[in-house]
C-alpha cells in the first residue's frame, strides 16, 4: 500500500483531478480437443500495472509489465506528463472491503486434475459426433482464468478483487454432399467446474450439432421487412446493440449518440424496461467492483419506455454531474477504463410466449446469434442470426439459412409490441468489443415481438 | 545455423538472445523439440477532440511464447508477458509439462530449415527516425485533420475518436531445428472521426485515416480531415430502396472487406477442418477469370510486409487465385504438412493481400452499372465460411443512368460466396491504399437486396 501511495503521489506531482493505479495479475489455461483427441494445451501468465492521471477532460495513461520500483515510478511520471501544474494531493489509502461476493468458483479449474478437464471435453466431443452421421468435425475448448486486480485511487480507495472466469465452447462442421454448414455453442461464467453439474457437456454439444445439421436442410431466409419474434436469452444481443452501447455515457457526454440529450424522454415502447445489472452471481458479466474501484450495482436505463440514465465510469459521472454506476471497465492493465455494459437485459413482460408466436401470420423466429454491432451516431445496429425459423400461420415452420438483421435502435425499440413473461439470461459466452478493448458481458431477453425489422435474406 | 538464417539487425538485443537460448536449453534437456517466440513493443497514442488533447497513452510491452513438442509430436505452449531469463526458463518448463497431456499428432512439428530464413533484402519496415519521433507533430496532425473535417460542412461540429499513434515492435523466433530469426518494424498513423448533425437532429459519422511504416509516407492532415468530413455528410437525406436482386457496384472500401473474408476462406486451418467452402477446390475455377489475388510480403515499405512468418518460414509471394483458378491455400506449417501443401509462410495470416486491379475508372464502373446500387459501407458479421453464406447491412447510393442519385440506408445485401466470386464482372483501377488488404472497386452479380 505504501508503494501505491508513492506512485499516486508521483502521478499527481504535476497536478490532476484524479489518479489511479490498476494492477493486474492473471493466469489462464486452455485445452483444445479436436477430432477426438487432445490437440493442444496452453498456459499463460500476464502481469502489468496501469497508471492514470485525469486533468479536466484529459487523461494521461502509462503502463508497464515490470514491477520493480524504478520502472513503476518512471511509468507514473510518464502518466503525469498530461498535467502542467502544481502537485495535487492524494488521500490516504484505506483498505476498502467489497460490498459484493458474486463469484462462484467452488471447483477451481486450476486445481482440478488435467484428466478431469480432458474427460469433460471428451464427453462433449463424442456426443457431438454421435448426434448425426453428417457431423464431420468437432472441436471443443475449455478455458479458465484467475485474475487478481488491485485498484488504488487518489481519493483513498484501495481494493482487491479476485475474479475467476470459465468459458467452454464447441464448434461443429457438418456436410451433406457439397453443402457444408457449421454450428457453435458456448457457456460459462465467473464460476468453476461445478458449472458442468447443471450444464452437462452433452447439452452444449447437442446444441451446436443441431444447429449445423439443421442448417444443412434450411430454406433460404426471406429478404425485406417482416415481424421478428426473438427467442429468450441470447436475443439480448438486440438490447446490447440497439440501446446498450448508445447509453454508454462517454458517447452521450460529447453528444455523439443517437440517445444524447434524451434523459426523461420516451425513447421506446412503454413495454420496454432495460436494466444493466452487474450483481448477478456467477454471471459472465458480474463484477464485485468495476475497474475503478466502484461497487457494482443494478442500473435501470429505461423504465417503461422512458430513458432514466446512462452507464457511467468515474470520469463521465464527474463531468456530467451524475452518480457513478460501476460501469468503468477495461480490457486489462493496457487500457484506460471506459463505460461498458455488464449484464444487460430487457425486463420480463406479461405475455404468454406461445401466444406471441400464434399471433404472427408470417415472420421470423430468431433463436441463436453470431455477432452484432452498432453505429453510435445513427443508432443503426445489426446482428447475425445463426439459427432461425419461419413463422407461418402462427406456427414455427422450417429452419432458414443464416441472415443479418438490421434496424435503427430508437425505431426498433418503439416497435416492441409484445414482451413475454419468460425472461432468461444467456449462458456466459459473450464478449463485447469497444475502442479495441474486449470485455466479458452477459445479456438476457424474454420472448419479444418486434413488429417490423429488415431481414437480410436471399429469397 | 547458417548465416542466411540470421538477420543480425542493428537493434539486435543480446539479452533476448540469451533468454531464447535458455528456453531452448530447457526444451532440449527435457528431450523435447520446440520453438520460442519473443516480442517487444513500444507504443504511443493520443486522442484529440475539439482541438485539444483528450488522452495520451504510452507503454513498453513484451511477451514470450514457448511451444514444446514432446515424443510423438504432442504439442503444448505457454506464454508470459515477462521477458527475462527466469521467465524464459519457467515458460519453457511449463510448455514441456503441458505437452505430456496432448495426444500424438503426426502433423505437428517444426518447419524444416530449408523453408526458413529471411527474404527480400531491405524491406524498409522500420523508420530510422523512430526514436526521435516528435509526438507533438503527430498530435498536431490529428488536430489539423479534425479542423479540416469541420471545414467541410457547417453541419459537422463534433469530433469523436480522432487521434494519432506510433509504435515499434521487434520479434524473435528460434527453434530446436536451428532456426533463428529476428524482424522489427515501425508504424505511424493518425485518423479523424467526426459527427455531423442535420437540421432535423439526425447524426451521421465519418472517419478517415492514414497509416504507414515511415512517418514521411503519411497522408496530409488536410487530406485525411477532408475525406472524414465528406464521409460524415454524404449519407444525409437517405432513402430506402425496394427489395430486389441484381448487379451491384462495390466501392473499394467494401470490396477490400470482401477480399479480407476470402483470405480466411483459403486459410489452411479451415481447409483441413472442412470449415470453408473452398475446401477440396484446389485447381478448380472458383471465381471469374478477371480475378487474380496474391499475397505479397516483400513489397518494400508496405504495412503487411515481412521477411518471414511467425514460425520463421521465409516469406514469399503467393498467387492464391490465378485468373479465377484456386492455385494455392495460405498455410502455416501444421496445415502445410497436414494438407501436403507447399509451405507458404502464413503463420500469422496474410501480409499484403491484394486483388489485382483492372482498367476501369470509377466513372466507368458507375456507367457500366447504369441504374442500381453502389455499396460504400458494410455493417455486421454476417459471413459463414463453411457454407459461404454472406449477409450484411449496407450503406450506399442509388445510381441512375451512371450518376449517383441519392444515399441509401437500412438495406441489406445477401448472397453466396461461391456465386459472388463467379459474379465478379469488372474491376476498377483504384485499389485501396495504405492497408494490408487491398481491392479495387468492382461490379458484381449475385446479391439479393433486402429493403422495403
Amino acid at each position: 500500500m505504501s508503494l501505491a501511495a508513492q506512485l499516486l503521489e508521483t502521478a499527481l506531482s504535476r497536478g490532476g483531478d484524479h489518479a489511479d493505479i490498476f494492477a493486474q495479475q492473471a493466469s489462464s489455461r486452455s485445452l483444445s480437443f479436436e477430432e477426438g483427441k487432445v490437440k493442444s494445451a496452453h498456459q499463460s501468465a500476464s502481469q502489468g500495472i496501469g497508471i492514470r492521471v485525469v486533468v479536466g477532460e484529459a487523461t494521461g495513461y502509462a503502463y508497464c509489465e515490470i514491477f520493480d520500483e524504478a520502472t513503476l515510478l518512471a511509468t507514473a511520471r510518464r502518466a503525469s506528463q498530461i498535467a502542467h501544474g502544481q502537485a495535487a494531493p492524494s488521500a490516504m489509502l484505506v483498505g476498502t472491503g467489497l460490498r459484493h461476493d458474486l463469484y462462484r468458483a467452488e471447483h477451481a479449474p486450476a486445481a482440478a486434475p488435467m484428466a478431469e478437464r480432458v474427460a469433460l471435453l471428451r464427453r462433449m466431443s463424442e456426443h457431438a459426433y454421435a448426434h448425426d452421421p453428417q457431423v464431420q468435425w468437432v472441436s471443443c475448448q475449455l478455458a479458465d482464468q484467475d485474475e487478481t486486480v488491485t485498484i488504488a485511487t487518489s481519493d483513498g480507495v484501495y481494493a482487491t478483487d479476485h475474479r475467476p472466469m470459465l468459458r467452454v465452447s464447441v464448434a461443429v462442421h457438418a456436410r451433406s454432399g457439397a453443402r457444408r454448414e457449421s454450428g457453435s455453442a458456448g457457456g460459462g461464467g465467473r464460476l468453476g467446474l461445478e458449472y458442468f453439474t447443471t450444464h452437462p457437456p452433452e447439452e452444449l454439444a447437442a446444441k451446436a450439432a443441431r444447429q449445423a445439421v439443421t442448417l444443412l436442410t434450411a430454406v433460404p431466409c426471406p429478404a425485406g421487412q417482416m415481424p421478428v419474434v426473438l427467442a429468450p436469452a441470447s436475443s439480448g444481443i438486440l438490447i446490447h446493440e440497439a440501446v446498450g452501447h448508445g447509453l454508454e455515457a462517454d458517447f452521450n457526454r460529447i453528444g455523439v449518440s443517437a440517445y444524447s440529450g434524451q434523459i426523461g424522454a420516451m425513447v421506446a415502447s412503454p413495454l420496454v424496461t432495460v436494466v444493466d445489472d452487474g450483481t448477478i452471481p456467477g454471471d459472465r458479466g458480474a463484477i464485485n467492483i468495476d475497474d475503478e474501484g466502484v461497487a457494482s450495482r443494478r442500473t435501470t436505463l429505461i423504465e417503461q419506455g422512458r430513458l432514466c440514465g446512462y452507464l457511467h465510469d468515474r470520469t463521465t459521472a464527474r463531468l456530467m454531474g451524475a452518480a457513478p454506476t460501476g460501469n468503468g471497465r477495461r480490457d486489462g492493465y493496457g487500457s484506460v477504463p471506459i463505460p461498458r455494459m455488464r449484464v444487460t437485459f430487457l425486463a420480463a413482460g406479461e405475455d404468454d410466449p406461445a401466444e406471441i408466436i400464434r399471433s404472427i401470420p408470417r415472420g421470423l423466429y430468431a433463436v441463436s446469434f453470431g455477432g452484432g454491432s452498432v453505429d453510435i451516431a445513427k443508432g443503426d445496429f445489426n446482428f447475425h442470426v445463426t439459427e432461425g425459423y419461419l413463422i407461418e400461420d402462427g406456427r414455427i415452420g422450417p429452419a432458414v439459412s443464416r441472415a443479418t438483421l438490421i434496424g435503427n435502435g430508437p425505431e426498433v425499440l418503439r416497435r416492441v409490441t409484445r414482451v413475454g413473461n419468460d425472461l432468461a439470461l444467456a449462458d456466459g459466452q459473450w464478449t463485447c468489443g469497444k475502442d479495441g478493448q474486449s470485455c466479458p458481458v452477459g445479456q438476457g431477453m424474454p420472448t419479444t415481438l418486434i413488429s417490423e425489422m429488415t431481414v437480410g435474406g436471399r429469397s | 545455423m547458417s548465416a542466411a538464417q540470421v538477420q543480425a539487425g542493428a537493434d539486435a538485443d543480446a539479452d533476448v538472445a540469451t533468454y531464447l537460448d535458455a528456453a531452448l536449453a530447457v526444451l532440449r534437456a527435457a528431450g523435447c523439440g520446440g520453438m520460442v517466440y519473443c516480442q517487444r513493443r513500444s507504443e504511443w497514442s493520443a486522442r484529440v477532440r475539439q482541438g485539444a488533447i483528450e488522452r495520451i497513452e504510452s507503454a513498453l510491452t513484451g511477451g514470450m511464447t514457448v511451444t514444446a513438442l514432446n515424443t510423438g509430436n504432442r504439442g503444448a505452449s505457454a506464454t508470459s508477458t515477462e521477458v527475462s531469463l527466469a521467465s524464459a526458463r519457467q515458460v519453457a518448463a511449463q510448455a514441456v509439462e503441458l505437452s505430456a497431456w496432448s495426444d500424438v499428432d503426426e502433423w505437428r512439428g517444426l518447419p524444416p530449415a530449408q523453408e526458413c530464413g529471411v527474404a527480400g533484402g531491405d524491406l524498409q519496415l522500420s523508420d530510422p527516425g523512430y526514436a526521435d519521433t516528435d509526438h507533438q507533430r503527430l498530435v498536431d496532425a490529428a488536430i489539423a485533420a479534425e479542423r479540416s473535417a469541420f471545414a467541410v460542412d457547417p453541419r459537422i461540429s463534433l469530433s469523436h475518436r480522432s487521434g494519432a499513434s506510433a509504435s515499434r515492435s521487434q520479434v524473435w523466433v528460434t527453434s530446436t531445428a536451428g532456426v533463428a530469426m529476428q524482424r522489427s518494424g515501425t508504424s505511424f498513423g493518425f485518423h479523424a472521426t467526426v459527427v455531423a448533425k442535420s437540421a432535423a437532429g439526425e447524426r451521421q459519422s465519418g472517419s478517415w485515416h492514414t497509416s504507414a511504416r515511415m512517418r514521411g509516407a503519411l497522408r496530409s492532415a488536410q487530406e485525411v480531415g477532408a475525406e472524414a468530413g465528406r464521409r460524415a455528410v454524404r449519407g444525409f437525406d437517405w432513402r430506402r430502396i425496394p427489395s430486389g436482386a441484381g448487379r451491384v457496384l462495390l466501392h473499394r472500401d467494401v470490396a477490400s472487406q470482401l477480399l479480407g473474408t476470402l483470405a480466411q476462406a483459403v486459410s489452411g486451418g479451415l481447409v483441413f477442418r472442412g470449415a470453408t467452402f473452398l475446401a477440396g477446390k484446389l485447381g478448380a475455377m472458383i471465381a471469374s477469370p478477371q480475378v487474380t489475388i496474391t499475397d505479397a510480403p516483400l513489397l518494400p515499405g508496405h504495412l503487411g510486409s515481412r521477411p518471414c512468418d511467425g514460425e520463421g518460414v521465409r516469406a514469399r509471394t503467393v498467387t492464391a487465385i490465378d485468373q479465377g483458378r484456386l492455385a494455392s491455400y495460405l498455410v502455416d506449417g501444421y496445415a502445410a504438412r497436414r494438407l501436403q501443401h507447399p509451405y507458404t509462410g502464413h503463420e500469422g495470416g496474410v501480409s499484403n493481400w491484394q486483388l489485382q486491379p483492372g482498367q476501369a475508372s470509377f466513372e466507368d464502373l458507375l456507367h457500366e452499372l447504369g441504374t442500381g446500387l453502389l455499396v460504400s459501407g458494410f455493417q455486421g458479421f454476417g459471413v459463414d465460411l463453411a457454407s459461404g453464406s454472406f449477409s450484411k447491412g449496407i450503406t450506399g447510393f442509388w445510381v441512375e443512368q451512371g450518376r449517383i442519385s441519392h444515399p441509401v440506408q437500412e438495406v441489406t445485401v445477401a448472397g453466396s460466396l461461391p456465386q459472388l466470386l463467379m459474379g465478379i464482372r469488372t474491376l476498377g483501377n483504384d485499389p485501396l491504399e495504405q492497408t494490408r488488404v487491398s481491392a479495387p472497386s468492382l461490379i458484381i452479380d449475385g446479391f439479393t437486396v433486402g429493403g422495403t
Side-chain angles (χ1 to χ4, degrees):
Chain A
M1 218 185 284
S2 68
L3 178 59
Q6 198 187 344
L7 292 174
L8 287 170
E9 190 186 313
T10 306
L12 290 173
S13 59
R14 291 158 60 95
D17 299 315
H18 179 79
D20 60 13
I21 300 169
F22 180 83
Q24 181 186 32
Q25 276 187 295
S27 70
S28 60
R29 292 146 290 276
S30 73
L31 195 58
S32 91
F33 197 91
E34 260 187 297
E35 301 177 271
K37 51 191 185 184
V38 177
K39 200 71 174 178
S40 67
H42 183 74
Q43 182 168 330
S44 160
S46 70
Q47 59 171 30
I49 287 190
I51 301 178
R52 176 172 66 149
V53 177
V54 184
V55 195
E57 296 187 44
T59 297
Y61 194 71
Y63 63 95
C64 65
E65 293 169 334
I66 300 166
F67 283 16
D68 73 72
E69 196 174 312
T71 306
L72 290 170
L73 286 168
T75 303
R77 277 193 293 274
R78 276 191 292 148
S80 76
Q81 296 300 310
I82 196 77
H84 302 279
Q86 298 295 311
S90 182
M92 170 122 72
L93 291 174
V94 178
T96 313
L98 299 177
R99 189 191 300 173
H100 303 289
D101 179 17
L102 300 170
Y103 316 140
R104 300 281 175 271
E106 281 141 33
H107 186 14
M114 187 70 124
E116 185 182 340
R117 287 181 267 168
V118 171
L120 285 165
L121 292 184
R122 187 179 300 281
R123 275 169 62 191
M124 182 177 276
S125 171
E126 282 172 0
H127 194 79
Y129 276 114
H131 181 88
D132 191 291
Q134 295 172 111
V135 169
Q136 303 281 303
W137 188 286
V138 178
S139 62
C140 309
Q141 266 221 332
L142 178 66
D144 73 279
Q145 186 179 55
D146 287 313
E147 175 194 38
T148 299
V149 303
T150 297
I151 297 148
T153 72
S154 59
D155 48 7
V157 172
Y158 187 92
T160 294
D161 196 20
H162 302 282
R163 299 170 175 169
M165 183 67 85
L166 179 79
R167 194 177 186 286
V168 59
S169 61
V170 51
V172 170
H173 297 293
R175 185 173 175 183
S176 168
R179 193 161 173 178
R180 297 173 192 273
E181 292 287 355
S182 61
S184 65
R190 294 207 183 271
L191 25 74
L193 292 178
E194 71 274 10
Y195 166 81
F196 291 103
T197 58
T198 49
H199 300 79
E202 289 80 3
E203 248 176 46
L204 283 177
K207 191 176 166 192
R210 185 193 69 212
Q211 220 180 74
V213 170
T214 303
L215 282 167
L216 286 174
T217 55
V219 301
C221 186
Q225 290 175 296
M226 66 195 72
V228 173
V229 177
L230 298 164
S234 288
S235 304
I237 190 166
L238 172 115
I239 295 300
H240 182 100
E241 305 295 357
V243 57
H245 278 297
L247 296 182
E248 289 165 341
D250 47 348
F251 301 123
N252 290 284
R253 181 175 77 77
I254 60 176
V256 298
S257 163
Y259 293 95
S260 295
Q262 303 275 309
I263 296 262
M266 288 296 287
V267 296
S269 140
L271 298 172
V272 172
T273 291
V274 174
V275 174
D276 181 75
D277 190 348
T279 67
I280 296 167
D283 196 281
R284 182 169 166 83
I287 42 174
N288 289 330
I289 52 171
D290 74 2
D291 296 330
E292 301 183 288
V294 176
S296 190
R297 64 203 67 188
R298 179 185 165 101
T299 308
T300 301
L301 297 169
I302 296 177
E303 178 100 55
Q304 297 181 357
R306 196 174 299 281
L307 180 59
C308 35
Y310 298 129
L311 297 171
H312 285 283
D313 61 16
R314 290 172 71 125
T315 305
T316 63
R318 180 171 55 83
L319 294 171
M320 296 175 82
T325 57
N327 290 88
R329 305 184 64 193
R330 43 180 143 198
D331 193 305
Y333 58 85
S335 307
V336 295
I338 49 176
R340 301 300 295 263
M341 285 173 259
R342 297 163 306 205
V343 182
T344 317
F345 58 88
L346 180 68
E350 290 171 358
D351 289 333
D352 170 12
E355 169 52 30
I356 294 176
I357 291 164
R358 272 200 298 276
S359 71
I360 306 300
R362 178 181 171 275
L364 183 71
Y365 184 58
V367 178
S368 301
F369 303 85
S373 68
V374 62
D375 177 318
I376 292 293
K378 282 191 292 197
D380 286 355
F381 70 95
N382 63 77
F383 55 81
H384 191 213
V385 176
T386 55
E387 181 183 3
Y389 302 85
L390 290 177
I391 304 176
E392 299 169 326
D393 300 325
R395 291 210 181 97
I396 292 176
V400 294
S401 290
R402 295 156 180 272
T404 290
L405 271 58
I406 63 167
N408 176 269
E411 253 176 58
V412 164
L413 288 187
R414 288 192 177 91
R415 292 191 192 138
V416 172
T417 46
R418 307 284 296 272
V419 179
N421 57 13
D422 57 345
L423 170 65
L425 297 179
D427 199 350
Q429 61 156 333
W430 293 97
T431 298
C432 169
K434 173 180 172 185
D435 281 10
Q437 297 195 39
S438 296
C439 235
V441 295
Q443 56 199 22
M445 194 88 172
T447 299
T448 300
L449 170 61
I450 313 290
S451 59
E452 197 173 70
M453 275 190 84
T454 304
V455 176
R458 285 174 54 202
S459 71
Chain B
M1 178 186 327
S2 76
Q5 286 164 4
V6 183
Q7 187 195 35
D11 45 21
D13 187 326
D15 288 342
V16 173
T18 317
Y19 309 157
L20 299 175
D21 286 345
L24 290 180
V26 171
L27 292 176
R28 288 199 176 101
C32 288
M35 175 170 288
V36 187
Y37 177 95
C38 178
Q39 51 116 354
R40 271 183 171 175
R41 189 173 162 85
S42 83
E43 45 194 5
W44 170 93
S45 70
R47 265 168 76 156
V48 303
R49 194 170 67 80
Q50 313 293 124
I53 291 175
E54 189 173 58
R55 184 195 305 162
I56 290 185
E57 297 183 59
S58 66
L60 294 167
T61 63
M64 302 191 81
T65 299
V66 177
T67 304
L69 289 170
N70 214 319
T71 45
N73 284 337
R74 292 169 301 146
S77 59
T79 297
S80 172
T81 52
E82 186 181 334
V83 179
S84 70
L85 190 61
S87 174
R89 290 185 175 133
Q90 189 186 0
V91 169
Q94 285 169 346
V96 168
E97 189 190 330
L98 274 181
S99 66
W101 286 98
S102 289
D103 286 320
V104 169
D105 185 345
E106 59 178 309
W107 307 112
R108 226 172 240 291
L110 297 170
Q114 70 267 20
E115 294 290 348
C116 295
V118 292
D122 180 10
L123 292 176
Q124 297 167 39
L125 306 182
S126 290
D127 190 328
Y130 179 82
D132 307 319
T133 301
D134 179 358
H135 292 142
Q136 187 58 45
R137 279 179 57 190
L138 285 169
V139 170
D140 292 345
I143 290 174
E146 185 190 60
R147 201 181 315 120
S148 296
F150 288 161
V152 168
D153 190 292
R155 291 172 292 182
I156 304 171
S157 58
L158 292 171
S159 166
H160 173 41
R161 294 178 173 167
S162 298
S165 64
S167 69
R168 176 173 186 269
S169 66
Q170 289 172 280
V171 169
W172 293 261
V173 183
T174 64
S175 81
T176 53
V179 172
M181 230 76 62
Q182 189 203 335
R183 63 175 206 232
S184 57
T186 57
S187 81
F188 298 86
F190 62 90
H191 60 280
T193 302
V194 290
V195 176
K197 200 171 166 185
S198 71
E202 187 191 353
R203 290 177 180 84
Q204 301 248 356
S205 66
S207 63
W208 195 233
H209 61 92
T210 176
S211 54
R213 290 192 170 276
M214 307 290 165
R215 198 181 51 200
L218 294 175
R219 296 180 174 120
S220 77
Q222 200 279 333
E223 183 186 352
V224 170
E227 179 64 14
R230 199 180 67 76
R231 286 168 179 244
V233 293
R234 70 181 179 185
F236 281 131
D237 303 317
W238 56 274
R239 298 178 218 166
R240 307 191 66 184
I241 54 171
S243 299
R247 188 158 298 175
V248 163
L249 170 52
L250 298 184
H251 183 268
R252 61 183 176 178
D253 289 356
V254 289
S256 298
Q257 287 181 39
L258 184 64
L259 181 65
T261 298
L262 268 186
Q264 295 174 295
V266 297
S267 81
L270 294 193
V271 174
F272 72 75
R273 288 177 172 87
T276 163
F277 66 96
L278 291 177
K281 295 284 166 65
L282 207 56
M285 284 298 287
I286 55 128
S288 72
Q290 288 94 311
V291 177
T292 293
I293 303 175
T294 59
D295 193 48
L298 305 177
L299 301 172
H302 276 240
L303 282 171
S305 295
R306 61 189 181 207
C308 62
D309 76 354
E311 290 179 303
V313 173
R314 189 184 304 108
R316 60 204 79 184
T317 300
V318 176
T319 300
I321 297 175
D322 189 0
Q323 296 178 43
R325 194 174 302 281
L326 181 58
S328 178
Y329 293 121
L330 304 180
V331 293
D332 63 7
Y334 184 91
R337 292 183 291 273
R338 177 138 191 176
L339 295 168
Q340 294 176 299
H341 187 286
Y343 279 78
T344 64
H346 280 89
E347 207 290 328
V350 292
S351 57
N352 300 299
W353 180 236
Q354 303 178 325
L355 169 56
Q356 299 308 307
Q359 305 294 324
S361 70
F362 193 70
E363 288 300 315
D364 294 340
L365 293 175
L366 283 172
H367 185 73
E368 183 180 333
L369 177 69
T371 296
L373 181 64
L374 158 62
V375 178
S376 59
F378 278 146
Q379 286 102 42
F381 298 85
V383 179
D384 178 65
L385 293 172
S387 57
S389 119
F390 184 99
S391 164
K392 287 189 187 244
I394 63 112
T395 51
F397 300 88
W398 187 249
V399 177
E400 295 264 4
Q401 295 178 336
R403 306 181 74 147
I404 289 175
S405 163
H406 59 81
V408 168
Q409 294 188 17
E410 297 201 19
V411 169
T412 59
V413 297
S416 116
L417 287 168
Q419 286 167 27
L420 292 169
L421 288 174
M422 287 297 190
I424 293 176
R425 292 180 54 86
T426 311
L427 296 168
N429 60 6
D430 59 345
L432 192 64
E433 292 172 349
Q434 292 197 348
T435 169
R436 297 165 56 122
V437 177
S438 166
S441 301
L442 55 88
I443 288 185
I444 188 167
D445 285 333
F447 273 123
T448 302
V449 175
T452 53

